[in-house]
Amino acid sequence: MVVTNASIVTKSGKVLVSRQYVDMSRIVIEGLLGDFPKLVGMDKQHTYFETETVRYVYQPIEALFLLLVTTKQSNILQDLDTLRLLSKLVPEYCMSLDEDGIGRGNFDLIHAFDEVISLGHKENVTVAQVKQYCEMESHEEKLHKLLMQSKINDTKDVMKRKANEIDKSKIEKTRGDKGGLSSMGSMGSGKLDNSFSDLNISQGGGSGYGSGAGFGMMSDFDPLTTKAKDRSRSSFTAPPKSSGMKLGKSGRNQLMESLKAEGEDIIEDVKPTGQTRAAVQPPTDPFTLTVEEKLSVAMRRDGGISNFDMQGTLSLQILNQEDGFVQVQIETGGNPEIRFNTHPNINRELFNSESILGLKRPDQPFPTGQGGGGVGLLRWRMQRAEESMVPLTINCWPSVSGNETYVSIEYEAAPVFDLTNVIISVPLPALRDAPIVKQCDGDWRYDSRNSVLDWSILIIDNSNRSGSMEFVVPPVDSSVFFPISVQFAATSTYSGLKVKGMIPLRGDGDATPRFVQRTQLTAHDYQVV
């Protein structure tokens, strides 16, 4: 038996891996492998066929062929046995049986083939033995790595010494410059004293820059004297903090306008700060009830939910303190997965029986809650949900083709939620230029500082429950694009909590107080990992 060549080829004849075991020229090998796709369809009953010079023994592996080229005098039974052993090794060293998977593991495959075939003859080995031989440690490799690491360490030591020498030279140079300045100051001390006596500058008060008359007198002196006086005055009287130039809001706007006029793209980041929250208009209605749910979800990239946590609150704001003698009638959606907890000062029995939120002591009013986000009345939590119940699912499909990585991302929104201000942030490798976006349903923005691609959709409703985006980057590992972070807001909630009305405890009991309800669901920590 003599095996001249072992290869993996596609059905179109493209050679992915090829290993020869006898002396043959490249032209001959390419000719033999190029003829295989033309001859493979002549006889489909067997997995081998012969030509005038060689024999082809092959086995289909999904969309590929594992091929042995042997001499016509070789034993066909041994050839088939060798082919079966090689076919068992291919899945062991390739994650997927396609062109990308074979390309990633081609060198490991060649080493495994060499353990099975030696000089054209099959070795008496098994799959386990081949894996053991390929994974054995090499003393020469360890020695080489140790030598390389020692060279790296020596280079780092040399760099540290050079850096210390540079720092010392800078310090000595700085000391020399200071010595020169001090000598110049001593030479002009007489002139400085005269200047101070002429200007009549007081050390106790004053702005540190002199009065208006002082500036007028200063123009009569020569430039050297003026500079010396400024330097000396700064050592005696420190300028107040308010006298320095500040880049205020008007100055910043002028700078932005000038940059825009020159053609620069200015992106102003608006982040919620404490001042921004404080600038929210105070409530004008007698009663404001806020239903807020924060959603934390961790979805697996291959499907399914690894973590789900929804926390909700109901808070109350009252415009006037004298209107605080009320009770709140609510209605819940009846979700069995949600557990409600009332505030310790709320009558728990009244809530369980009639869904009314009132204080345990009706003779006391509710606090106004104007100083913060309102008075908390009710909390609830949900920690289990099916994948179909999450507002938004994200699928990311990276694939490497040649020198490029094609990334296709798609979203699908649940019909229960209409989402607004959706931002899907995809981490990217460090790139010199922005990624090439082939297609995008919505808008996109590349943050080069953080290496993040932000995909934004203003609103998701029945007209666009699904969408996709495709972009291209240089070849990288698929794990670079995770975790994907998602931000959105919605007016529908999991609890379905609604305020039915306000029940006054004093005054005219027939008049229903006017109130407003605000409902919001936000993505607090929503990721695809």
Side-chain angles (χ1 to χ4, degrees):
M1 168 195 174
V2 177
V3 177
T4 60
N5 180 272
S7 304
I8 298 178
V9 299
T10 62
K11 291 185 177 180
S12 61
K14 181 180 178 180
V15 181
L16 304 180
V17 175
S18 180
R19 179 64 165 164
Q20 65 184 48
Y21 297 98
V22 296
D23 292 335
M24 299 177 65
S25 63
R26 178 178 177 180
I27 297 176
V28 175
I29 292 294
E30 291 179 348
L32 293 174
L33 297 179
D35 293 339
F36 173 72
K38 305 173 185 178
L39 302 173
V40 71
M42 296 175 57
D43 189 358
K44 297 183 179 180
Q45 296 180 355
H46 303 284
T47 58
Y48 68 92
F49 54 86
E50 297 180 355
T51 63
E52 296 180 356
T53 56
V54 296
R55 176 188 295 149
Y56 294 92
V57 185
Y58 64 94
Q59 178 177 335
I61 304 178
E62 294 187 3
L64 308 175
F65 283 112
L66 176 61
L67 173 64
L68 294 181
V69 181
T70 68
T71 59
K72 297 180 66 175
Q73 293 78 21
S74 65
N75 190 332
I76 185 61
L77 297 178
Q78 294 182 359
D79 295 342
L80 293 174
D81 186 39
T82 304
L83 187 67
R84 281 192 295 269
L85 181 57
L86 295 181
S87 65
K88 295 178 182 179
L89 290 173
V90 173
E92 295 289 338
Y93 292 94
C94 297
M95 300 297 294
S96 58
L97 299 179
D98 53 11
E99 292 190 26
D100 294 336
I102 299 297
R104 293 190 184 100
N106 49 10
F107 288 104
D108 294 333
L109 280 177
I110 291 176
H111 295 156
F113 285 2
D114 289 346
E115 296 295 336
V116 177
I117 303 173
S118 177
L119 299 177
H121 299 278
K122 178 181 178 299
E123 297 287 342
N124 187 17
V125 292
T126 62
V127 175
Q129 290 175 336
V130 172
K131 292 179 65 177
Q132 180 181 1
Y133 297 157
C134 292
E135 294 174 359
M136 289 181 66
E137 297 181 354
S138 173
H139 177 71
E140 289 79 5
E141 181 181 2
K142 284 186 176 182
L143 183 60
H144 174 72
K145 289 182 178 180
L146 290 175
L147 292 175
M148 292 298 295
Q149 187 63 39
S150 64
K151 292 181 180 179
I152 293 173
N153 295 335
D154 294 341
T155 305
K156 289 182 179 179
D157 294 338
V158 173
M159 291 172 60
K160 289 181 180 179
R161 288 197 299 269
K162 291 292 184 182
N164 292 332
E165 293 176 0
I166 294 174
D167 293 338
K168 290 180 180 179
S169 62
K170 288 182 178 179
I171 293 173
E172 294 176 356
K173 185 178 180 180
T174 305
R175 290 176 179 174
D177 293 341
K178 288 183 178 180
L181 291 174
S182 61
S183 61
M184 290 176 63
S186 61
M187 291 172 62
S189 59
K191 189 178 290 186
L192 288 174
D193 295 337
N194 296 331
S195 300
F196 275 111
S197 62
D198 293 338
L199 286 175
N200 192 17
I201 297 177
S202 62
Q203 298 182 12
S207 63
Y209 288 101
S211 62
F215 277 107
M217 294 175 63
M218 196 181 294
S219 61
D220 297 334
F221 295 99
D222 60 292
L224 180 61
T225 308
T226 304
K227 292 180 181 179
K229 286 186 291 185
D230 290 340
R231 187 183 302 115
S232 179
R233 269 187 306 176
S234 63
S235 63
F236 282 90
T237 305
K241 295 181 180 179
S242 60
S243 63
M245 186 185 70
K246 293 184 179 179
L247 185 60
K249 189 173 183 180
S250 59
R252 185 176 184 272
N253 293 336
Q254 293 177 1
L255 178 61
M256 293 296 180
E257 293 297 333
S258 62
L259 291 175
K260 290 180 180 178
E262 295 176 2
E264 295 289 340
D265 293 333
I266 305 301
I267 300 176
E268 298 184 1
D269 295 333
V270 180
K271 298 183 178 180
T273 60
Q275 296 179 354
T276 306
R277 296 191 186 98
V280 178
Q281 294 183 356
T284 57
D285 296 280
F287 301 95
T288 301
L289 293 110
T290 304
V291 178
E292 184 180 11
E293 291 184 354
K294 295 182 179 180
L295 190 60
S296 298
V297 177
M299 306 182 66
R300 291 188 290 268
R301 66 187 70 177
D302 54 352
I305 301 176
S306 60
N307 181 43
F308 180 92
D309 186 18
M310 182 276 295
Q311 299 183 17
T313 57
L314 172 63
S315 58
L316 170 65
Q317 281 184 310
I318 303 175
L319 189 60
N320 299 316
Q321 181 65 56
E322 58 269 16
D323 296 334
F325 296 94
V326 293
Q327 293 178 340
V328 183
Q329 177 73 57
I330 67 170
E331 181 184 52
T332 60
N335 191 333
E337 299 291 339
I338 296 179
R339 297 291 181 266
F340 292 93
N341 294 317
T342 58
H343 192 275
N345 294 333
I346 298 295
N347 191 335
R348 180 74 178 179
E349 296 179 357
L350 182 63
F351 170 72
N352 292 334
S353 60
E354 303 181 30
S355 296
I356 295 177
L357 295 170
L359 292 175
K360 292 180 179 179
R361 298 181 59 181
D363 57 334
Q364 291 184 352
F366 277 106
T368 59
Q370 296 291 342
V375 178
L377 305 180
L378 191 66
R379 290 181 180 179
W380 59 93
R381 192 170 188 178
M382 178 178 174
Q383 293 182 296
R384 185 173 61 183
E386 301 293 335
E387 187 176 4
S388 59
M389 297 177 61
V390 298
L392 195 67
T393 57
I394 307 294
N395 291 320
C396 181
W397 300 89
S399 60
V400 180
S401 177
N403 293 327
E404 294 178 332
T405 299
Y406 292 84
V407 182
S408 178
I409 303 178
E410 58 182 4
Y411 73 84
E412 186 172 356
V416 182
F417 299 94
D418 289 344
L419 309 180
T420 59
N421 299 326
V422 181
I423 299 177
I424 303 172
S425 301
V426 184
L428 299 180
L431 302 176
R432 180 177 301 176
D433 301 319
I436 302 174
V437 178
K438 299 288 187 180
Q439 183 266 335
C440 180
D441 294 335
D443 299 323
W444 64 275
R445 173 177 172 268
Y446 174 59
D447 184 0
S448 59
R449 177 174 298 179
N450 299 317
S451 295
V452 173
L453 179 64
D454 291 330
W455 177 19
S456 60
I457 305 99
L458 184 61
I459 184 171
I460 297 179
D461 52 15
N462 292 328
S463 62
N464 58 344
R465 290 293 178 191
S466 61
S468 62
M469 179 177 68
E470 297 180 1
F471 61 90
V472 181
V473 295
V476 292
D477 187 71
S478 60
S479 61
V480 173
F481 305 104
F482 297 93
I484 300 174
S485 302
V486 184
Q487 302 176 26
F488 59 80
T491 56
S492 302
T493 59
Y494 282 93
S495 62
L497 190 145
K498 295 181 180 179
V499 179
K500 303 297 291 184
M502 307 295 293
I503 303 174
L505 300 180
R506 292 186 179 183
D508 188 2
D510 296 334
T512 303
R514 185 165 53 92
F515 70 93
V516 62
Q517 177 181 349
R518 298 172 180 172
T519 305
Q520 187 178 37
L521 170 70
T522 58
H524 178 64
D525 185 11
Y526 203 102
Q527 290 187 336
V528 181
V529 297

